Amino acid sequence: MAALHARPAAGGGGLQPVAARRASSSSSSSASFRYSCCWQLQGNIVNWKSKCANKKLQSTVPGAKLDDSEFESVDAPLEPQTWEGSFLCGLLKNLPHIFLVAAAKQLHELSNQREDTLNRWEHSIGSEEDCLHRRIAEMKEQECQTAIEDIMYMLIVYKFFKIEVPMVPNLSKLISNKRLQLWPPRETDLESIHGPEVLELIREHLTSIIRWVHRNGPKINRSTLRIKRLQFGRIYSASIMYGYFLKSVSIRHRLELTLTRSQEIPPPIQFLNAQLTSTPKQEQEETVGGSGEISSSSKPSSVVDPYDLKGYMMGFDPKTLQLCAKLRSPEASNLIEKHSWALSGENMKLPQENDEAVILDPSSLKRLLLEAIAFGSFLWDVEDYVDEIYNLQDS
């Protein structure tokens, strides 16, 4: 965790003045917590905390029957590490209708706890207890970050729960004789969360990945792929990042289109395809007084529609591309790493020469990659929602 600093003068990322944070969050907090039924949970949280502290969580295999006597994670490879995550896991299994209300309440409580420790540190600056309260604030920030990661992860699991698609558990539970097969593939359900333009880009991504695996792996037959666990973990993480990127780009594209059409002006310059730019030779001719007209032979044979999402992405400069692909918070980065490792299993820690290969069919690999892309898209939504309540630090 980055070192804590005394509160900056302006309300930016990181640790902000208490008054500034209260002013920005007071209106939203008063409006979002008028659900009287939610407060019935408050008396039960302490009991859940004591039960979850000593109970080992277990991942459930898709299709396996849940044992109501045990407190298990809900179709997810990553186990919660805090009682906040364990409590939400139990709610999702037994009381899913109040899951979101409880998650919002936990986010507000963590925000208030962090606020209190920072307030005490602020009042102790310049005194003998300054170092003590600074250390307490650092530890509380670390503790809250771990709890926030668990809450964010359970919110992602809840999104999979809503579309009725179980998340794939640790692959070690599904591999038999070095062969992995997932059934049913649930491709339609995982594709349903995306729009037509995004879905077209996703299918191109899946096709390129499957072809790459087939081309670089041992040749078994056309319907069988062979990939090492470590290699798969990297592809899975990259697909999560791609889903996150597509979500960011699609929202940016929709916003700019809305602004463009509302103002009735031509598309922004970044919509234009790079094919429309002049060549250096043409620019030189125009500079010395040559004709500014472009001959028919020099015109591009095809022009990408600037209102199309793919054409919009092709117009990105490197800085805009990096901005859309960047994870906004360290919690998001940690979740991608932890989830990918939890899915791939202990073999991720082995040396590359000892990494075992897995045999699977293209439909199973497609199922895993579609889940990864959906995870990245859900992560963007969850990160945006949590940031409105908790004010995540910028990565």
Side-chain angles (χ1 to χ4, degrees), residues 134-315:
R134 175 187 175 87
R135 180 55 181 159
I136 292 175
E138 289 176 346
M139 295 178 64
K140 175 56 69 173
E141 183 74 20
Q142 220 168 21
E143 177 185 332
C144 289
Q145 181 178 0
T146 305
I148 288 295
E149 290 175 10
D150 272 0
I151 295 174
M152 290 176 63
Y153 188 76
M154 290 311 305
L155 286 168
I156 295 173
V157 175
Y158 175 78
K159 284 184 170 289
F160 279 100
F161 173 82
K162 292 295 290 183
I163 63 173
E164 299 181 353
V165 175
M167 297 178 68
V168 178
N170 187 294
L171 295 183
S172 300
K173 300 180 179 181
L174 306 177
I175 296 175
S176 178
N177 296 325
K178 296 185 178 182
R179 182 175 293 273
L180 170 65
Q181 186 172 8
L182 299 177
W183 188 263
R186 309 300 295 270
E187 294 178 8
T188 304
D189 296 324
L190 289 169
E191 291 178 347
S192 65
I193 65 174
H194 308 289
E197 292 182 316
V198 175
L199 192 56
E200 179 184 354
L201 296 172
I202 290 174
R203 287 170 177 167
E204 292 179 3
H205 172 78
L206 296 176
T207 301
S208 63
I209 291 294
I210 293 175
R211 286 178 179 174
W212 182 87
V213 173
H214 192 274
R215 184 172 60 251
N216 292 275
K219 303 298 184 293
I220 303 177
N221 55 59
R222 295 178 62 90
S223 61
T224 306
L225 303 173
R226 191 170 183 265
I227 184 173
K228 292 188 175 183
R229 297 271 285 269
L230 180 60
Q231 193 178 51
F232 166 76
R234 292 170 178 171
I235 294 175
Y236 188 89
S237 299
S239 296
I240 294 179
M241 290 291 299
Y242 188 64
Y244 186 96
F245 167 76
L246 287 180
K247 184 71 174 184
S248 176
V249 170
S250 61
I251 291 179
R252 182 187 178 102
H253 180 228
R254 193 182 310 122
L255 176 61
E256 293 200 18
L257 280 182
T258 302
L259 294 175
T260 299
R261 289 166 178 168
S262 64
Q263 298 174 7
E264 297 182 356
I265 59 176
I269 189 62
Q270 62 201 51
F271 281 146
L272 301 180
N273 188 273
Q275 294 175 339
L276 298 179
T277 59
S278 303
T279 62
K281 184 177 180 180
Q282 292 169 344
E283 292 176 353
Q284 184 178 4
E285 291 177 352
E286 294 174 5
T287 302
V288 298
S291 174
E293 297 181 358
I294 302 177
S295 64
S296 59
S297 60
S298 65
K299 290 181 181 179
S301 58
S302 62
V303 178
V304 178
D305 183 5
Y307 291 101
D308 178 72
L309 179 61
K310 188 174 182 179
Y312 175 73
M313 290 173 54
M314 292 176 64

Side-chain angles (χ1 to χ4, degrees), residues 369-386:
L369 296 180
L370 280 173
E371 179 186 289
I373 294 172
F375 188 97
S377 180
F378 291 156
L379 176 60
W380 197 99
D381 291 331
V382 167
E383 185 182 41
D384 189 61
Y385 167 72
V386 171

